[in-house]
Amino acid sequence: MTVEELKKQLKLLGAEYAKIKTLPPEDRKTFGEEINKKKQALLKQIAEVEAAAESADITKIDLTAPFPVNAEYKTQKFGTKHPLSAEIDKIIDIYSHMGFNVIESRQLDDEFHMFDSLNFSKGHPARDGYDTFRTEEGFIPPAHTSTMQHRALKKYKKDLENGGNIAVVIPGRVFRNEDVDATHEHTFYQCEGVFVSKTATLGQMLGVLKHFFEVYYGEKLRIKTQPGYFPFTEPSLEILIEKPKSLGGKGDGWLELLGGGMIHPNVLKAAGIDPTKYKGFAWGGGIERLVMMKYKLNDIRYFESGKLDFLEEF
Ligand code: FA5
C-alpha cells in the first residue's frame, strides 16, 4: 500500500471517533481502545513505507554521473578555507610528521590554567603583563596557547610512564588587550609546542624549530636566540629566524617569531610529573606573523577583516 492510501485510511479512522458519543457508555472504552490500536498500526505502517522509499531514493543516486557543469555553476562563487585555517593545516602536518600529537586550545579558560598552573604566583606583576580580557563570571579568553600546557602534560603523562615522551602541538586562537597596528592584533593565532622526556634539552628544541621553519618556508635558514622571561620556563628564550632569502632576506635580517624555554619544574610538578626524573621544553609563536612573511603581507589586520578581495587572493 502507498503512503497516500494509508493516509486516506487514517483520515477515515478519524471519523470513527465521532461515533463514540452515540454508543452506550459501557461500550465506549473498548471501542475507543480499538480505534487507537488501529491508528497506531497505521502510523507505524506509514513510517515504514516512508523510510523504505527514502533508502530506495539513495540507492537510485548514480555516483558515476558527470557533475552538472552548467552556465549557472560556472558563474557561481564558492567559499574557500580561510587562509589561516589552510596554513594551520600545513603547520600541523609538519609537526605530525615529526611525531607530535595535536590538540586544540579553547577560547575561554580559567584563572588556574592561565596563571596558577603556569607558575605565576598570586599577585605576580607578570599576570598584569598579559592584560587579559575577563568575562563577568571571571573566565578568561586565553592570552596565549600556554594555557593548554597543563592539560597537555596531564593528558599524555601516561606516555612517559610507558617509557615514551610527551610530544604535543596546540594551535589556537588567543586574545589580548592590545593597541592594534600593522603587526599587533587583539585576536590572533598561536601554536604551542610541548615536549617532555628523560633527556630533553634546549638544543633539541632549536633543532625541532629549525626543521619546522625550513620545511614551512622551503629553504635552509638560521635561527638564533636571545634571553627572554616567562614564569613557566627557566631558562626562557626569544627565538628569531633569519628572514628567508626567497622573501627578500639577505642573511642579515632577523625576525622574532617565538618565545620558549625549558619547562619550569613547578609546571611539571603541578601536572604530577616528577621534575627530578623528567625534563621538558615548550615554545609558542604567532601564526599570523609566520604567514605574513610567507605571503609578503604588510598588515596583520587583513586576516580578521573578512574582506573578500583579500581572501580571494589565496
Ligand atoms: C607567549 O605568548 C608565550 N606563551 C610563549 C611561550 C610558550 C614561552 C611556551 C615559553 C614557553 P609572547 O607574548 O612573546 O609569548 O608571544 C609569542 C608570539 O606571539 C610572539 O613572538 C608573536 O609572534 C606573537 N604575538 C604576540 N603578540 C601578538 C599580537 N598582538 N599580534 C600578533 N602576534 C602576536
Side-chain angles (χ1 to χ4, degrees):
M1 217 181 290
T2 65
V3 173
E4 285 68 35
E5 285 164 341
L6 289 166
K7 282 190 177 162
K8 211 186 239 173
Q9 286 198 14
L10 195 65
K11 206 167 173 194
L12 289 174
L13 197 65
E16 295 285 297
Y17 280 104
K19 284 191 193 158
I20 294 180
K21 271 191 248 154
T22 66
L23 295 174
E26 63 275 19
D27 294 342
R28 289 181 188 172
K29 188 165 176 258
T30 1
F31 186 78
E33 279 172 357
E34 206 53 41
I35 306 177
N36 271 338
K37 237 188 253 168
K38 281 188 193 159
K39 185 180 165 189
Q40 291 311 323
L42 276 173
L43 287 173
K44 190 168 165 237
Q45 232 178 319
I46 290 173
E48 279 167 5
V49 174
E50 278 178 343
E54 221 168 86
S55 60
D57 271 354
I58 290 170
T59 57
K60 266 188 242 147
I61 295 174
D62 178 4
L63 295 173
T64 62
F67 194 72
V69 181
N70 50 26
E72 193 194 338
Y73 174 81
K74 281 182 187 157
T75 54
Q76 219 169 337
K77 281 195 168 178
F78 289 93
T80 53
K81 237 183 208 178
H82 190 278
L84 278 177
S85 305
E87 292 306 307
I88 289 172
D89 285 350
K90 289 178 200 162
I91 293 168
I92 289 174
D93 206 40
I94 300 173
Y95 283 119
S96 303
H97 275 92
M98 286 193 258
F100 282 84
N101 293 296
V102 183
I103 55 179
E104 223 182 324
S105 78
R106 43 184 75 195
Q107 297 196 32
L108 206 54
D109 218 315
D110 54 30
E111 187 88 17
F112 175 76
H113 290 91
M114 178 67 212
F115 295 118
D116 303 71
S117 72
L118 290 170
N119 194 40
F120 286 83
S121 48
K122 294 249 181 292
H124 194 292
R127 287 195 185 214
D128 294 340
Y130 279 89
D131 211 0
T132 46
F133 297 110
R134 276 170 200 264
T135 69
E136 282 172 4
E137 298 80 9
F139 289 111
I140 302 175
H144 54 176
T145 41
S146 301
T147 48
M148 291 299 290
Q149 279 192 17
H150 182 78
R151 292 191 187 90
L153 292 171
K154 272 174 96 169
K155 179 166 182 187
Y156 292 103
K157 196 165 64 173
K158 56 181 180 313
D159 290 354
L160 285 181
E161 288 152 11
N162 295 332
N165 307 323
I166 296 177
V168 196
V169 288
I170 310 148
R173 202 176 201 195
V174 298
F175 310 86
R176 291 187 190 183
N177 183 6
E178 191 88 72
D179 283 334
V180 171
D181 62 26
T183 53
H184 293 85
E185 255 292 10
H186 51 73
T187 301
F188 59 102
Y189 283 80
Q190 283 190 335
C191 184
E192 190 89 0
V194 177
F195 183 89
V196 183
S197 74
K198 285 192 172 139
T199 55
T201 63
L202 275 181
Q204 289 172 355
M205 179 171 87
L206 298 180
V208 167
L209 291 173
K210 189 166 185 305
H211 179 74
F212 167 78
F213 285 121
E214 289 184 349
V215 177
Y216 187 71
Y217 288 120
E219 71 174 75
K220 289 248 169 268
L221 40 77
R222 293 181 296 164
I223 66 173
K224 72 172 181 182
T225 61
Q226 59 193 30
Y229 173 73
F230 301 101
F232 38 97
T233 44
E234 179 60 37
S236 301
L237 304 172
E238 274 165 7
I239 298 139
L240 299 87
I241 71 160
E242 185 182 14
K243 202 170 171 193
K245 292 198 178 59
S246 57
L247 302 174
K250 295 179 188 70
D252 50 356
W254 296 90
L255 298 152
E256 190 218 307
L257 285 176
L258 301 137
M262 295 302 288
I263 300 176
H264 195 288
N266 288 349
V267 175
L268 292 175
K269 247 188 262 171
I273 296 172
D274 181 352
T276 62
K277 284 196 194 141
Y278 299 102
K279 295 173 190 14
F281 52 79
W283 71 89
I287 294 181
E288 279 82 353
R289 292 190 187 167
L290 197 74
V291 177
M292 282 168 77
M293 275 270 302
K294 192 171 181 181
Y295 296 102
K296 297 186 184 157
L297 304 173
N298 56 10
D299 200 321
I300 195 169
R301 288 166 289 196
Y302 286 128
F303 288 110
E304 298 272 340
S305 70
K307 285 201 171 98
L308 275 182
D309 47 354
F310 166 70
L311 297 173
E312 280 168 0
E313 286 196 23
F314 289 86

